Amino acid sequence: MASILDEYEDSQTIRHSTQQPHTRLSASNIGITHSGFVNARLEEERPIFNKQRIDFSPPENINHFAVCNNQLCMSLGKDILLRIDLGKPDQPNQVELGRKDDAKVHKLFLDPTGSHLLISLNTNECLYLNRNTQKVRSLSRWKGHLIESIGWNKLLGTETNTWPILVGTSQGQIYEAEISASEGSLFNTNPDQYFRLVYTLDEDGKSAPVCCLEIERGIESKFFIIATTRKRLFQFVGKVPEGAEQQGFSSIFSQNADHFPSFQEFPANLGFSEIAFYTPKLRTSPRSFAWMMGNGVLYGTLDYTRPDSLLSDVQVWEYPPDIDFNFNKPISIVLTQFHFLLLLPDRVKAVCILNGQVVYEDVFPDKFGPLKNMSKDSACGLVWIYTEKAVFRYHIQREARDVWQMYMSMSKFDLAKEYCKDRPECLDIVLAKEAEHCFQNKKYLESAKCYALTQNYFEEIALKFIEAKQEDALKEFLMKKLNNLKPSEKTQITLLVTWLTELCLNRLGTLEGDESKRSLFLESREQFRKFLSSSKIKECLYNNRTTIYDLLASHGNVEDMVFFSVIMQDYERVISHYCQHDDYEAALEVLSKHRDEKLFYKFSPVLMQHIPKKVVDAWIQMGKKLDSKNLIPALVNYSQIGSTEQINETVRYMEFCVYELAVTEEAIHNYLLSLYAKYKPESLLLYLEQTGTHSSDIHYDLKYALRLCAEHGHHKACVHVYKIMELYEEAVDLALQVDVDLAKSCANLPEDDEELRKKLWLKIACHVVQEEKDVKKAMNCLSSCNLLKIEDILPFFPDFVTIDHFKEAICNSLEEYNKHIEELKQEMEEATESAKRIREDIQEMRNKYGVVESQEKCAACDFPLLNRPFYLFLCSHMFHYDCLLQEVSPHLSAYKQTKLEELQKKLLTTSQPTKSRHQLKEEDTASLGKGQLSRQQIKSHIDDIIAAECVYCGELMIKSIDKPFIDPQKYEDGKSSWL
């Protein structure tokens, strides 16, 4: 047995490797550049049905064969049963039935779990063998019945218990039974728990063997039972209450007791029938069935949602014409996804369920003997065939590879595309075929959609639609082609976009003049605009916008041209269009919406001429985003020749710039000033006063303002400008022409220049006396300015004026003079007293002294003080001469340091210690005669520099408080010395 097991293990390895998606044969893992065409050719070299003979020579003839869930059972000779767990192929198990009589195995039945094996004997007996035991047990309750079929309970069945199952006999009886693998109790050692009749089938009033039984569960606790005889197929439909499945299926049959169950019958008779099911995955419900009977194969799908029948879309495929029932009638049938395999005595035929054609035929040589039976293991998809002397196995690989061609020939293009979606070369053929089919049936739009997905020649397809005068289909084709292009294919995109634009414009032009097609025209326009707004072609439209503009212009389509301009953000063209058509408000709306300051600068002059108020409102909304300086040309132009409204709006915007935006541009302020001077003089002075009175706060040109105000005769404004320019004399002279009080306010402005202020007041007094001849006003000038005296203004009065008018002023003047003289006397007395006290202090200082003890030390170096020349300060600090010089020098200014160095050099040259004191005095006298400083004078000057105050208590210490202890220039050196 080693050879068959080894062969099976090798085949299992190969099958799993072909089914695993990650190790699937492809061009990429065999060293060939990936291509759909190469990949398809390599895969199709492997046949769909790959037969393999098992290297196995049985010791006796194989009578029967069953396989399910990787469990294989064979009946050999008369009394031997061979079991192989294909998951453990190296552990075969051989069991003897232990029969001494002439009983032979009639049939083997293996449940879906591969655990329960029923052995039907031709002596109307039945044996049971569980996968986990070696003991063959007899089913006593089943005795007297030749078992033809078993309906297994796939819902509840386990390895130890079958739960309720259905049993079909050769007499048309259907029994319900249950088998348990346990040993049972003392009083019940049989594995069969019960065995009761639930229904009897017949044909033409006679009993007929129950050839097949199948139990399937639908939705909402509904169960379907399919039972077949030689030429009838019965269906039993009924509900089993939720949770009552273990009670069996007798209730379903009792529900059909009142009426005859539905069935399908065919006249021909093979003497038996067989039904096969296709289950896509393990432990799922079957999807389709194939019933082999006398007239052919009844094929259909299983619809679990139907209320009264499980079978759907049934059709009968007749047997191939070369099958002669007298010599080679079918023996067995197996159903796959797209084929059913018919087993004949000497061959296997595979028939496609889509068209009934034989797609595969495998003839077996005579040396193996006639074929006995065929079965399929749903767990792994293998098909097993055996003769008395040999075992064969079929691998079914990618049987859907050619299904697309069949669906395509049947015009089921959706299914064809579904089965070749991973093979682009096949998908292209299907799409081309579908497109041609739709074109011939005048479904031009559907044809265009399919053609756009194919690799057919673009020009050929386009001409095809043009010749058929199907412009809509052509447009659909071009649109789909455009959507399928990659962004890098710029030339093709440009071609298609231009062509589509031309087609859309032609259609719009055709529909525009027809009022009856108004709705169609609006719909077409909306589609065209949606096309222009597509993000995918935005770059193409932008790069070729000149061409699109030309096309739109050639068709006279102004509205769509404006729409396209907006899409391209070519707002200048849009605004120009509106302005040319005098739709200024629409132009301003576009400007305001897109807020492009350059366009505002360009179109504001035109818009300001026609809708000044709305334009200024738009400017104000723009705020600081607009540079008001660039709008001056538009304002100046129309403020000079425009209406009052334009002028008022110009002033409004300038005021907004000055007061709201706080613009400081001189041009803006000068222009506003000119507007005030020309058109709003009442606001001129207010503006000047609000802008400030100091030249640093002014943003307009003072000279320009002065000239402007003078030209228009605004004297008060001129006075204000003169005051800002600090031309007080001119301000007073001009103010005297307007108002004396205004002149007085100007005269008080030069506060720091009393002479000028007095001069200005004298001008005012002269004007009052000589021009106005008002003596009282002149006297008021004296009281308003304390710089003027009566004697200053007397010369301005005429000779005939009597003194009575000045009596009070003269008296007041004399009193002030007397008071001033008294103050001077008081100051002289105080000065004399101060001089006396100073002389006394000097005299006292000359006699002041201090006592220095012998143990006193220098405050700087802490060495004895009396060893070297020293200084003693009134604060009691004492320093050596050289120590004090060293402490003071860093704090001296550069000038004093230079002077100190010069004095030290002079002192060094004058010191001659070897000479006698007499000689020294002579030389000092001589040097004095020559105009040079004596040694004593030099020392005195040095003392004035370094000993003017105590270095610790004087001003030097206070000034040095913010200086670092270490000179920054010497910091690095000091830092390195510490490390």
Side-chain angles (χ1 to χ4, degrees):
M1 287 304 299
S3 59
I4 183 173
L5 298 176
D6 293 343
E7 187 68 28
Y8 175 80
E9 195 171 21
D10 293 342
S11 66
Q12 284 288 88
T13 304
I14 295 173
R15 184 180 62 82
H16 284 299
S17 66
T18 57
Q19 289 182 350
Q20 292 294 330
H22 297 290
T23 58
R24 183 177 174 180
L25 182 62
S26 64
S28 60
N29 54 32
I30 61 173
I32 302 176
T33 305
H34 180 70
S35 165
F37 294 92
V38 174
N39 192 19
R41 180 179 59 81
L42 292 176
E43 289 179 343
E44 289 182 3
E45 287 177 353
R46 302 174 65 91
I48 295 176
F49 303 98
N50 184 19
K51 185 180 72 173
Q52 183 180 19
R53 181 194 171 194
I54 305 302
D55 186 10
F56 168 62
S57 299
E60 296 187 49
N61 293 340
I62 302 174
N63 300 323
H64 293 279
F65 186 100
V67 61
C68 197
N69 198 26
N70 281 341
Q71 302 296 319
L72 186 148
C73 299
M74 285 185 287
S75 172
L76 304 178
K78 176 183 177 183
D79 201 42
I80 298 175
L81 188 67
L82 180 64
R83 298 186 299 178
I84 301 174
D85 183 354
L86 298 179
K88 300 175 183 178
D90 55 342
Q91 300 176 12
N93 179 253
Q94 184 170 312
V95 179
E96 292 185 1
L97 298 181
R99 304 291 295 188
K100 302 299 183 182
D101 52 13
D102 295 332
K104 295 182 181 179
V105 175
H106 175 62
K107 280 187 179 181
L108 294 179
F109 304 98
L110 190 61
D111 80 311
T113 66
S115 302
H116 307 282
L117 176 65
L118 294 176
I119 307 161
S120 175
L121 303 178
N122 60 356
T123 58
N124 295 343
E125 295 180 80
C126 191
L127 305 179
Y128 170 73
L129 178 63
N130 189 271
R131 183 174 65 181
N132 300 321
T133 64
Q134 291 286 104
K135 183 178 179 181
V136 178
R137 304 168 71 181
S138 176
L139 302 177
S140 59
R141 292 187 176 91
W142 297 37
K143 192 171 183 180
H145 302 285
L146 182 62
I147 308 302
E148 293 288 347
S149 59
I150 300 290
W152 298 104
N153 193 331
K154 292 182 284 187
L155 179 65
L156 300 177
T158 63
E159 292 183 0
T160 59
N161 199 315
T162 62
W163 293 105
I165 60 175
L166 296 178
V167 181
T169 69
S170 60
Q171 299 301 316
Q173 299 161 332
I174 299 177
Y175 287 86
E176 184 181 83
E178 181 180 346
I179 300 175
S180 175
S182 60
E183 293 295 334
S185 63
L186 179 63
F187 301 101
N188 184 15
T189 60
N190 294 328
D192 49 336
Q193 303 298 308
Y194 63 89
F195 190 77
R196 57 174 173 260
L197 179 67
V198 293
Y199 205 85
T200 302
L201 301 179
D202 62 7
E203 287 181 353
D204 303 326
K206 300 179 182 179
S207 62
V210 181
C211 299
C212 299
L213 282 171
E214 181 73 16
I215 305 171
E216 295 296 338
R217 181 179 180 179
I219 59 176
E220 299 178 354
S221 302
K222 184 180 294 185
F223 280 82
F224 297 89
I225 299 175
I226 297 176
T228 66
T229 60
R230 291 169 295 192
K231 57 181 182 177
R232 286 184 179 182
L233 187 150
F234 294 87
Q235 292 187 74
F236 299 89
V237 182
K239 287 188 176 182
V240 176
E242 191 73 29
E245 292 87 352
Q246 298 179 4
Q247 298 178 6
F249 307 103
S250 58
S251 61
I252 298 176
F253 291 98
S254 63
Q255 294 174 22
N256 292 269
D258 298 337
H259 58 276
F260 201 75
S262 63
F263 67 91
Q264 294 189 16
E265 182 177 10
F266 294 89
N269 188 348
L270 286 175
F272 70 97
S273 70
E274 183 176 350
I275 191 169
F277 295 90
Y278 167 68
T279 304
K281 295 180 181 178
L282 186 63
R283 299 190 183 279
T284 60
S285 299
R287 285 188 180 177
S288 56
F289 75 97
W291 181 39
M292 183 182 70
M293 40 78 182
N295 291 81
V297 176
L298 178 68
Y299 171 80
T301 59
L302 302 180
D303 186 355
Y304 296 91
T305 62
R306 298 182 66 182
D308 55 351
S309 176
L310 182 62
L311 310 182
S312 175
D313 299 330
V314 294
Q315 58 181 329
V316 176
W317 294 114
E318 295 183 355
Y319 293 115
D322 58 344
I323 295 180
D324 186 354
F325 284 8
N326 295 323
F327 301 100
N328 60 345
K329 66 180 179 179
I331 301 172
S332 181
I333 185 172
V334 165
L335 180 62
T336 64
Q337 185 178 6
F338 294 104
H339 305 85
F340 58 83
L341 276 66
L342 292 176
L343 182 68
L344 303 175
D346 61 343
R347 68 192 63 199
V348 173
K349 290 180 179 287
V351 179
C352 179
I353 61 175
L354 301 178
N355 55 14
Q357 300 296 318
V358 176
V359 297
Y360 175 79
E361 183 172 2
D362 188 10
V363 179
F364 286 75
D366 295 337
K367 65 179 180 178
F368 299 120
L371 302 179
K372 301 288 288 182
N373 209 332
M374 174 174 60
S375 61
K376 178 185 176 184
D377 187 356
S378 299
C380 55
L382 293 176
V383 177
W384 298 81
I385 298 176
Y386 71 95
T387 66
E388 291 182 347
K389 300 295 184 182
V391 178
F392 300 89
R393 181 179 56 235
Y394 281 95
H395 292 281
I396 303 174
Q397 299 176 344
R398 292 188 70 248
E399 63 172 320
R401 68 181 68 170
D402 297 324
V403 169
W404 63 272
Q405 297 182 15
M406 300 178 189
Y407 280 128
M408 182 178 68
S409 62
M410 298 164 61
S411 298
K412 295 182 178 180
F413 300 107
D414 291 337
L415 290 173
K417 288 184 284 188
E418 179 67 24
Y419 286 100
C420 64
K421 59 185 178 182
D422 57 343
R423 300 168 67 184
E425 75 286 354
C426 301
L427 182 61
D428 187 70
I429 296 173
V430 174
L431 288 169
K433 185 71 174 178
E434 182 181 8
E436 185 64 27
H437 175 79
C438 293
F439 192 90
Q440 292 176 357
N441 289 277
K442 297 184 179 182
K443 297 179 180 179
Y444 297 109
L445 287 178
E446 292 80 356
S447 176
K449 293 176 183 178
C450 295
Y451 270 130
L453 299 174
T454 66
Q455 301 299 319
N456 291 21
Y457 290 115
F458 174 84
E459 300 85 352
E460 178 183 342
I461 300 170
L463 289 173
K464 195 170 186 177
F465 286 116
I466 292 173
E467 291 173 357
K469 297 181 180 181
Q470 294 298 320
E471 189 172 300
D472 290 341
L474 175 62
K475 187 169 68 172
E476 182 69 23
F477 169 69
L478 297 178
M479 189 69 73
K480 293 293 182 183
K481 272 292 185 183
L482 178 62
N483 293 333
N484 294 333
L485 290 177
K486 299 177 182 178
S488 58
E489 298 174 309
K490 298 183 182 298
T491 303
Q492 292 88 332
I493 292 175
T494 302
L495 171 65
L496 293 178
V497 167
T498 307
W499 196 352
L500 281 167
T501 303
E502 179 68 26
L503 289 175
C504 292
L505 290 173
N506 286 338
R507 181 168 179 78
L508 289 174
T510 304
L511 298 174
E512 187 173 11
D514 193 345
E515 287 297 330
S516 61
K517 298 181 179 179
R518 180 65 179 173
S519 59
L520 184 58
F521 168 75
L522 294 176
E523 181 181 353
S524 300
R525 168 176 282 181
E526 184 64 27
Q527 291 177 356
F528 177 52
R529 292 186 174 184
K530 186 177 181 181
F531 167 71
L532 293 177
S533 304
S534 175
S535 58
K536 183 173 182 178
I537 62 172
K538 184 175 182 180
E539 182 182 357
C540 174
L541 290 173
Y542 183 80
N543 294 333
N544 300 276
R545 58 187 182 279
T546 304
T547 303
I548 304 299
Y549 280 131
D550 292 341
L551 286 174
L552 291 166
S554 65
H555 286 266
N557 197 329
V558 178
E559 293 184 11
D560 288 323
M561 181 184 292
V562 172
F563 178 82
F564 180 70
S565 301
V566 173
I567 293 175
M568 293 294 101
Q569 298 183 354
D570 190 0
Y571 303 118
E572 182 176 352
R573 185 185 294 268
V574 177
I575 298 169
S576 298
H577 167 76
Y578 286 136
C579 290
Q580 290 171 4
H581 290 78
D582 297 334
D583 194 353
Y584 302 106
E585 293 187 0
L588 182 60
E589 184 180 353
V590 175
L591 272 177
S592 302
K593 182 178 180 180
H594 299 287
R595 302 172 69 85
D596 188 339
E597 54 270 20
K598 292 182 180 180
L599 295 180
F600 265 102
Y601 300 147
K602 181 173 182 178
F603 291 99
S604 287
V606 178
L607 298 176
M608 190 67 185
Q609 182 180 4
H610 298 89
I611 47 173
K613 185 179 185 306
K614 293 184 178 180
V615 172
V616 171
D617 290 339
W619 290 348
I620 291 175
Q621 288 180 0
M622 290 288 289
K624 290 187 176 182
K625 193 172 182 181
L626 287 179
D627 187 354
S628 52
K629 183 173 58 179
N630 294 330
L631 295 172
I632 289 180
L635 296 172
V636 170
N637 184 22
Y638 296 107
S639 65
Q640 293 176 351
I641 64 174
S643 63
T644 304
E645 181 186 6
Q646 293 169 338
I647 294 170
N648 291 337
E649 295 303 324
T650 301
V651 173
R652 182 163 72 95
Y653 182 68
M654 289 292 99
E655 289 176 342
F656 171 77
C657 293
V658 171
Y659 297 122
E660 300 294 333
L661 300 182
V663 176
T664 58
E665 291 285 344
E666 186 178 278
I668 299 299
H669 285 264
N670 287 344
Y671 184 49
L672 179 59
L673 193 66
S674 67
L675 291 173
Y676 281 148
K678 293 179 182 179
Y679 306 108
K680 288 192 173 184
E682 67 277 5
S683 302
L684 176 61
L685 186 60
L686 179 63
Y687 163 75
L688 294 174
E689 291 174 350
Q690 288 180 345
T691 53
T693 58
H694 297 284
S695 58
S696 59
D697 301 331
I698 303 302
H699 301 299
Y700 54 83
D701 188 346
L702 289 169
K703 294 181 181 179
Y704 173 74
L706 184 62
R707 179 174 60 82
L708 199 63
C709 295
E711 286 180 358
H712 293 84
H714 304 308
H715 296 307
K716 287 187 178 181
C718 290
V719 171
H720 185 81
V721 176
Y722 276 135
K723 288 192 295 183
I724 297 172
M725 298 173 70
E726 298 183 355
L727 299 176
Y728 301 114
E729 290 190 42
E730 290 81 353
V732 171
D733 291 340
L734 187 58
L736 288 174
Q737 299 178 19
V738 180
D739 185 11
V740 174
D741 291 337
L742 179 60
K744 289 179 180 180
S745 65
C746 296
N748 285 326
L749 291 177
E751 297 177 355
D752 298 333
D753 192 347
E754 292 186 354
E755 183 179 352
L756 176 59
R757 190 146 51 94
K758 182 178 181 180
K759 181 179 179 182
L760 297 177
W761 277 102
L762 284 174
K763 282 190 174 187
I764 295 172
C766 178
H767 174 79
V768 170
V769 173
Q770 294 181 354
E771 299 296 331
E772 298 186 4
K773 296 182 173 37
D774 191 340
V775 178
K776 290 184 178 181
K777 269 191 179 180
M779 293 300 102
N780 289 337
C781 290
L782 292 178
S783 61
S784 299
C785 180
N786 56 4
L787 298 178
L788 290 182
K789 306 297 180 183
I790 185 63
E791 57 270 26
D792 295 328
I793 65 172
L794 283 176
F796 302 140
F797 288 96
D799 296 338
F800 57 84
V801 177
T802 61
I803 197 171
D804 292 341
H805 295 89
F806 313 112
K807 181 179 179 179
E808 184 179 354
I810 292 173
C811 292
N812 291 337
S813 179
L814 290 175
E815 288 178 2
E816 288 181 3
Y817 280 128
N818 289 333
K819 186 178 180 181
H820 184 59
I821 291 171
E822 292 297 328
E823 290 176 354
L824 289 176
K825 286 181 180 180
Q826 182 71 23
E827 290 177 0
M828 290 175 65
E829 290 176 0
E830 291 176 357
T832 304
E833 184 65 24
S834 297
K836 181 179 177 182
R837 291 177 182 176
I838 291 171
R839 284 194 296 272
E840 291 175 355
D841 291 342
I842 293 172
Q843 188 64 32
E844 184 179 355
M845 287 295 294
R846 288 178 179 175
N847 299 326
K848 196 169 185 178
Y849 64 91
V851 178
V852 179
E853 302 292 338
S854 60
Q855 67 272 17
E856 294 290 348
K857 296 183 179 180
C858 175
C861 67
D862 205 30
F863 280 96
L865 185 68
L866 300 179
N867 290 347
R868 300 198 299 275
F870 64 90
Y871 289 93
L872 172 62
F873 292 93
L874 293 177
C875 61
S876 74
H877 283 122
M878 294 168 276
F879 300 91
H880 289 130
Y881 167 75
D882 54 343
C883 292
L884 182 62
L885 181 64
Q886 185 176 357
E887 290 288 335
V888 173
S889 295
H891 301 286
L892 295 176
S893 62
Y895 169 75
K896 287 189 176 182
Q897 286 183 352
T898 304
K899 185 176 181 180
L900 180 61
E901 291 176 359
E902 292 178 354
L903 291 172
Q904 286 177 330
K905 289 179 181 178
K906 289 181 180 180
L907 182 63
L908 185 62
T909 56
T910 57
S911 62
Q912 297 178 359
T914 58
K915 294 184 179 182
S916 63
R917 185 177 299 176
H918 178 74
Q919 290 175 339
L920 184 60
K921 286 183 179 180
E922 289 179 355
E923 290 180 1
D924 289 344
T925 305
S927 64
L928 289 172
K930 294 179 181 180
Q932 296 180 353
L933 295 174
S934 65
R935 180 180 177 81
Q936 193 64 32
Q937 290 175 327
I938 295 172
K939 285 185 175 182
S940 178
H941 289 321
I942 293 175
D943 291 343
D944 292 340
I945 295 175
I946 68 173
E949 58 182 352
C950 176
V951 69
Y952 287 171
C953 302
E955 189 177 355
L956 287 178
M957 183 58 65
I958 296 173
K959 290 182 178 180
S960 66
I961 193 170
D962 60 341
K963 293 184 179 180
F965 291 107
I966 302 176
D967 189 351
Q969 298 179 353
K970 300 179 181 179
Y971 176 77
E972 293 298 330
D973 296 337
K975 180 180 177 182
S976 59
S977 65
W978 280 71
L979 297 176

